[in-house]
């Protein structure tokens, strides 16, 4: 049987050899439908580019890509360290990619692995493109970290977001707070939905009906926290405590509360989620949900190594979280301000 060539792939895909070359080396320069046909032809023929054949026979590139939703967020640094340590021990290197909440960018990184530029992909993004869901059996090795896609049978390392968010709310309830605002993550992403469900569950267990005016959608960013407080101020919605679905949003919220002349935690208590390295250094130090980010990264890489056939495949894992109480929360004030506007 003859060895498949680039011409073999081009003929099967109905494109030129130059297009095949571009689809494999610069997939972002090729239309998605054309790229799909080329990759299907590559898989069908077993074609391997000459420059990569040697690496492929010896476990390919020894490279794994960690794809995150926002590379500027310090939340991912500790996870990267965990991934990198496990990778180094197994003889791999790790590259980090920035998804920017863009389906095309996510597909581009998947195509990079399919084109043998990396061996596998650890995904930390809140979306999984519909086009990729239709071809799960043809996807390269993928591990999901922290995000959850129950409909996809992919190895996953996650936390119980509902239970963790409920614990944050229970802490505030225990301090006497009843008007608790919540800044969500980007809805309808599963992570944001679960943390919102935990918020509602905590209130319901205390016999408190959730006030929809106290719930503001965010996107995990610093600016989202600022916008949420401004929105609550504009609507005149009073609250004595705030639970943000990320530390970044909590920092932004505290900054904006100060701009309105309010003190944290004297006037408003604030709880975050993540326990990033800045949480303890912030003023006041932030009460937050701790995620074992280093171990999450290490476990995600362990599952990738299993997928690549070098260790027994590991089962999906739910990591434990814990509430870290610091200086941003305090008992409800005796004379609470009805809304931020009162101190303008």
């Amino acid at each position: 049987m003859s060895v498949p060539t680039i011409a073999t792939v081009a003929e099967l895909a109905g494109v030129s050899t130059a297009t095949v070359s571009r689809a494999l080396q610069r997939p972002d320069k090729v239309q998605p439908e054309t790229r799909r046909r080329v990759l299907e032809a590559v898989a069908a023929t077993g074609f391997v580019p000459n420059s990569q054949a040697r690496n492929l026979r010896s476990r390919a590139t020894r490279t794994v890509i960690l794809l995150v939703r926002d590379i500027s967020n310090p939340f991912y640094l500790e996870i990267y360290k965990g991934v990198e340590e496990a990778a180094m021990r197994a003889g791999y290197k790790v590259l980090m990619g920035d998804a920017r909440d863009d389906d095309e960018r996510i597909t581009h990184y998947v195509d990079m692995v399919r084109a043998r530029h990396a061996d596998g992909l650890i995904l930390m993004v809140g979306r999984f493109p519909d086009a990729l869901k239709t071809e799960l059996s043809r996807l390269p090795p993928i591990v999901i970290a922290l995000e959850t896609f129950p409909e996809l049978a992919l190895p996953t390392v996650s936390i119980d977001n509902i239970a963790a968010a409920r614990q944050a709310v229970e802490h505030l309830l225990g301090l006497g707070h009843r008007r608790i605002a919540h800044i969500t993550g980007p809805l309808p992403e599963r992570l944001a939905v679960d943390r919102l469900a935990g918020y509602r569950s905590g209130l319901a267990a205390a016999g408190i009906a959730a006030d929809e005016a106290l719930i503001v959608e965010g996107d995990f960013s610093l600016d989202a926290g600022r916008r949420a407080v401004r929105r609550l101020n504009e609507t005149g919605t009073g609250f004595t405590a705030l639970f943000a679905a990320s530390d970044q949003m909590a920092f932004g919220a505290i900054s904006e509360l100060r701009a309105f002349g309010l003190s944290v935690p004297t006037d408003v208590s604030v709880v975050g989620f993540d326990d990033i390295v800045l949480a303890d250094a912030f003023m006041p130090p932030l009460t937050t949900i701790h995620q074992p980010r280093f171990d999450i990264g290490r476990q995600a890489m362990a599952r990738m190594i299993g997928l690549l056939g070098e260790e027994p495949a590991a089962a999906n894992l739910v990591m434990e979280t814990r509430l870290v109480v610091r200086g941003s929360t305090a008992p409800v004030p005796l004379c609470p301000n009805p809304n931020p506007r009162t101190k303008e």
Side-chain angles (χ1 to χ4, degrees):
M1 182 177 180
S2 60
V3 176
T5 66
I6 194 170
T8 311
V9 174
E11 182 178 1
L12 183 59
V15 298
S16 68
T17 55
T19 298
V20 172
S21 180
R22 262 195 313 276
L24 296 177
Q25 297 180 36
R26 299 289 302 278
D28 56 313
K29 301 298 183 183
V30 179
Q31 291 295 322
E33 174 58 24
T34 302
R35 186 170 62 235
R36 182 188 63 78
R37 294 206 316 271
V38 169
L39 291 172
E40 287 181 350
V42 168
T45 61
F47 170 72
V48 177
N50 289 337
S51 62
Q52 299 164 21
R54 182 175 301 174
N55 278 340
L56 180 61
R57 286 193 298 270
S58 62
R59 257 355 250 164
T61 65
R62 309 296 296 184
T63 301
V64 168
I65 297 172
L66 173 63
L67 183 62
V68 303
R69 67 165 72 220
D70 179 6
I71 204 168
S72 67
N73 191 332
F75 169 77
Y76 296 106
L77 296 180
E78 193 71 11
I79 292 173
Y80 174 84
K81 286 171 63 177
V83 172
E84 197 270 342
E85 176 169 289
M88 185 177 66
R89 291 179 182 276
Y92 284 83
K93 55 185 178 290
V94 183
L95 302 177
M96 186 180 283
D98 190 3
R100 301 182 193 172
D101 201 31
D102 184 334
D103 281 2
E104 279 295 308
R105 291 182 69 88
I106 296 169
T107 301
H108 166 72
Y109 280 101
V110 171
D111 287 345
M112 283 181 64
V113 182
R114 288 201 272 205
R116 315 289 199 221
H117 296 301
D119 298 342
L121 189 64
I122 297 175
L123 283 182
M124 299 193 69
V125 296
R127 55 200 301 144
F128 198 89
D130 289 338
L132 296 179
K133 292 179 182 178
T134 65
E135 48 181 298
L136 288 178
S137 62
R138 298 193 299 274
L139 290 179
I142 293 176
V143 171
I144 306 296
L146 284 185
E147 310 287 349
T148 54
F149 302 96
E151 72 277 18
L152 305 179
L154 295 173
T156 301
V157 179
S158 62
I159 63 167
D160 187 338
N161 284 288
I162 295 176
R166 186 169 58 239
Q167 186 178 22
V169 172
E170 288 171 347
H171 169 67
L172 292 170
L173 291 168
L175 293 171
H177 296 278
R178 294 298 179 266
R179 297 287 294 171
I180 303 172
H182 178 45
I183 310 175
T184 76
L187 300 168
E189 291 184 10
R190 180 62 180 264
L191 186 151
V193 168
D194 283 353
R195 292 181 189 176
L196 174 58
Y199 163 81
R200 293 185 186 278
S201 174
L203 293 177
I208 301 172
D211 182 348
E212 298 304 313
L214 287 171
I215 301 171
V216 182
E217 183 175 352
D219 60 11
F220 297 129
S221 70
L222 195 73
D223 194 50
R226 296 191 182 102
R227 292 195 306 267
V229 170
R230 289 197 294 269
R231 172 69 179 275
L232 291 166
N233 175 62
E234 290 165 1
T235 58
T237 305
F239 57 99
T240 64
L242 185 150
F243 165 49
S246 78
D247 286 352
Q248 289 274 86
M249 293 195 298
F251 296 155
I254 291 173
S255 174
E256 198 66 18
L257 287 167
R258 286 173 177 160
F260 283 113
L262 296 173
S263 173
V264 176
T266 304
D267 297 310
V268 180
S269 287
V270 177
V271 178
F273 200 115
D274 292 334
D275 197 20
I276 63 176
V277 67
L278 296 176
D280 192 33
F282 198 75
M283 290 301 294
L286 185 66
T287 296
T288 186
I289 296 294
H290 173 81
Q291 299 194 64
R293 298 190 312 284
F294 182 87
D295 286 338
I296 287 166
R298 189 169 53 83
Q299 292 291 349
M301 186 63 203
R303 276 144 187 79
M304 176 56 67
I305 293 169
L307 275 184
L308 297 174
E310 301 194 9
E311 289 185 3
N316 290 349
L317 181 65
V318 179
M319 306 288 286
E320 291 188 3
T321 60
R322 58 185 170 87
L323 177 71
V324 179
V325 178
R326 298 193 180 101
S328 66
T329 52
V332 64
L334 294 178
C335 298
N337 294 293
N339 61 67
R341 203 181 288 278
T342 59
K343 284 204 173 185
E344 281 188 63

